[in-house]
Amino acid sequence: MNELYIGLMSGTSIDGIDAALVDLSKPTPKLIASHYEKIPISLKQAIQALCHPGPDEINRMGEMDVLLGKQFATAVNTLLKKHNLNAKHIRAIGSHGQTIRHHPARHFTLQIGDPNVIAARTGITTVADFRRKDLALGGQGAPLVPAFHQAVFLKKNKNRIVLNMGGIANVTLFANGKILGFDTGPGNMLLDLWTEKHLQKPHDDQGAWAKQGVVHTELLTKMLADTFFKMPAPKSTGREYFNAAWLENFLIEKISAADVQATLTELTAKSIAAAIQSYVPRGEIFVCGGGAHNNFLMSRLQHSLPTFSVQTTTQLGIDPDWVEAIAFAWLAKQTLKKKSGNIPEVTGAKTAAILGGIYQ
């Protein structure tokens, strides 16, 4: 018997919403259908503005919470319509929401995209607000996907790393019978930001622009000296830290835009490599997220990790574009089954816990 769930994911790029319909009746999730709902540029800009302090924040947040909830619901309804599916056959939606603030050191995180609106407009039970229970238990509230990675990708007696290269990069490491997971720093975020500023494009297609540039060694060294990269796990980060202001702080001298892009690519590759090598000397790495499509970044990652094989999660049977959305469908199931969704060794929480609120 099928157990159909829908996972919704909107990442740090705020470009669109991934909606994945998943059959979770077996240990390995089966992606049945998917839909990408582009976020209108006006809504994207309004959300980006909320990621930083500004005037009239509470009113603006309340409005965006509802508008984004409607956008998530539209993504679900479009997915169902495209594939002639009935809402009554879906057990639940797992919605990550859109992070607008993540401050684990101050014990709070905030995701918007009202789950009440999603449930009301789709007629489907919606599970959301996954992160705050972990924070309440002393954890970082992130990353949460390692629990999913453990359930689906773990292979005993293998040093296996799952690397999610979204706006922020995070890793799940399985080695010596132990699991560890944390954010390593920027994934695509700074690359996309710089590309949008200079090429007026949302991303550097396959890293072609970065490939034209030359790494500025002094700039790279200064960026890699940032204290975040030296922090031990558990740790998490986001747009609040790695943003335009962070980058501009390092751009004191005149460097060509292409050279900056090449240097930012190397920053992502080197920071990920250093994080992995500090715990595991060799093994196999499976990449998911948008960064899996950046051929130049993938090649620099392999260059920085010569004792590892670097592939995508396609080799494990799951499309790299849909791993995170599938993970939140899985987390919704965990919640409804009253099972934990976090791993204390990863987030630093005092105990494993059932995550999220249920909206019907």
Side-chain angles (χ1 to χ4, degrees):
M1 181 180 175
N2 290 349
E3 284 196 48
L4 299 180
Y5 289 79
I6 292 175
L8 296 175
M9 183 68 200
S10 174
T12 47
S13 65
I14 322 178
D15 288 326
I17 299 161
D18 293 332
L21 175 65
V22 193
D23 181 2
L24 295 175
S25 60
K26 295 179 180 178
T28 300
K30 182 179 179 182
L31 180 64
I32 305 297
S34 60
H35 171 67
Y36 177 77
E37 182 77 21
K38 188 171 177 60
I39 293 176
I41 187 66
S42 58
L43 183 56
K44 175 180 177 176
Q45 290 171 344
I47 295 167
Q48 285 177 327
L50 275 175
C51 293
H52 308 284
D56 200 24
E57 286 181 301
I58 294 177
N59 282 331
R60 288 189 295 122
M61 184 194 73
E63 291 172 0
M64 286 302 105
D65 191 31
V66 173
L67 285 173
L68 197 52
K70 291 178 180 179
Q71 201 77 25
F72 282 127
T74 297
V76 170
N77 290 330
T78 303
L79 171 66
L80 295 176
K81 186 176 181 180
K82 275 172 60 176
H83 298 279
N84 298 313
L85 296 163
N86 194 310
K88 69 180 182 182
H89 295 139
I90 311 301
R91 295 288 183 93
I93 295 167
S95 178
H96 170 268
Q98 177 64 57
T99 300
I100 58 170
R101 302 289 171 92
H102 182 68
H103 290 295
R106 295 160 70 179
H107 312 294
F108 84 91
T109 187
L110 183 57
Q111 289 74 40
I112 60 172
D114 189 355
N116 295 285
V117 173
I118 300 171
R121 286 184 164 241
T122 62
I124 301 170
T125 296
T126 300
V127 186
D129 192 17
F130 289 97
R131 299 191 183 278
R132 293 197 295 172
K133 182 66 173 290
D134 186 86
L135 275 160
L137 291 167
Q140 294 272 316
L144 296 181
V145 289
F148 170 74
H149 294 162
Q150 182 181 48
V152 177
F153 296 138
L154 173 64
K155 189 169 183 180
K156 290 183 178 179
N157 304 317
K158 279 267 190 182
N159 285 353
R160 177 170 284 184
I161 296 95
V162 181
L163 166 62
N164 174 45
M165 284 202 292
I168 293 295
N170 59 69
V171 292
T172 306
L173 302 98
F174 306 107
N176 305 316
K178 296 180 180 179
I179 181 172
L180 188 65
F182 53 92
D183 289 349
T184 63
N188 308 314
M189 184 181 295
L190 297 177
L191 294 169
D192 292 350
L193 183 154
W194 194 249
T195 301
E196 191 166 6
K197 179 178 180 178
H198 291 275
L199 300 186
Q200 290 75 53
K201 294 180 179 179
H203 61 271
D204 181 8
D205 190 22
Q206 297 186 26
W209 185 39
K211 197 172 182 178
Q212 296 172 20
V214 177
V215 173
H216 192 285
T217 306
E218 184 179 352
L219 174 61
L220 177 63
T221 301
K222 287 179 179 177
M223 290 192 295
L224 284 170
D226 186 274
T227 55
F228 178 82
F229 299 122
K230 304 178 189 308
M231 287 171 57
K235 61 179 179 177
S236 59
T237 189
R239 183 183 290 275
E240 306 77 20
Y241 191 83
F242 290 105
N243 52 34
W246 184 89
L247 176 56
E248 293 293 340
N249 186 53
F250 292 99
L251 298 178
I252 299 171
E253 61 181 284
K254 182 70 175 176
I255 305 171
S256 79
D259 288 354
V260 172
Q261 186 74 354
T263 307
L264 290 174
T265 301
E266 201 69 5
L267 171 69
T268 292
K270 291 290 187 188
S271 59
I272 291 170
I276 291 172
Q277 290 168 327
S278 65
Y279 292 99
V280 187
R282 62 186 58 82
E284 51 186 22
I285 299 171
F286 295 94
V287 183
C288 59
H293 299 293
N294 186 324
N295 294 341
F296 184 56
L297 175 56
M298 290 287 283
S299 71
R300 296 312 301 163
L301 192 62
Q302 181 65 84
H303 178 80
S304 298
L305 291 160
T307 59
F308 294 79
S309 65
V310 179
Q311 306 170 78
T312 74
T313 54
T314 301
Q315 271 63 47
L316 299 178
I318 299 184
D319 188 316
D321 287 336
W322 298 101
V323 171
E324 278 207 294
I326 293 171
F328 279 90
W330 181 87
L331 283 166
K333 180 183 177 181
Q334 290 293 101
T335 301
L336 294 186
K337 300 287 185 183
K338 299 186 187 310
K339 294 181 179 180
S340 62
N342 64 334
I343 299 176
E345 296 90 338
V346 169
T347 65
K350 296 173 185 175
T351 183
I354 301 167
L355 305 179
I358 301 170
Y359 302 80
Q360 296 175 308

